[in-house]
Amino acid sequence: LGDVRLPPDTAVCVLTRVAGMDPARVEDPEAFRPARWRDGRVAAEMQRSGVFVPFGSGPRICPGRSLALLEIRVVLATLLRSFEIE
């Protein structure tokens, strides 16, 4: 891993929070700005740089990803039909 030798079967934990709070990668990381995710280009760049990887990626991607994304749609639809958003 870089310049560090790891024995076979060594568990490695990746902390993406550190990258997500790095001002060099994210503009004003401590600000709550949900709108930053609306720009697909910006969101894609954050995923590519490892700042935001909610379900993992590659061969170890979370097997529950599809279910979680479907569930959030159902929850939002259920909530939004009961309220008027302005």
Side-chain angles (χ1 to χ4, degrees), residues 25-40:
R25 296 174 183 232
V26 180
E27 183 183 332
D28 198 10
E30 300 218 12
F32 179 70
R33 288 194 197 148
R36 73 175 86 203
W37 300 105
R38 286 190 198 142
D39 183 344

Side-chain angles (χ1 to χ4, degrees), residues 27-71:
E27 183 183 332
D28 198 10
E30 300 218 12
F32 179 70
R33 288 194 197 148
R36 73 175 86 203
W37 300 105
R38 286 190 198 142
D39 183 344
R41 188 176 40 86
V42 171
E45 181 54 37
M46 285 186 168
Q47 285 183 322
R48 203 172 13 266
S49 68
V51 171
F52 182 69
V53 189
F55 296 107
S57 65
R60 303 236 184 255
I61 195 165
C62 174
R65 177 183 183 268
S66 297
L67 178 60
L69 293 172
L70 177 65
E71 284 180 322

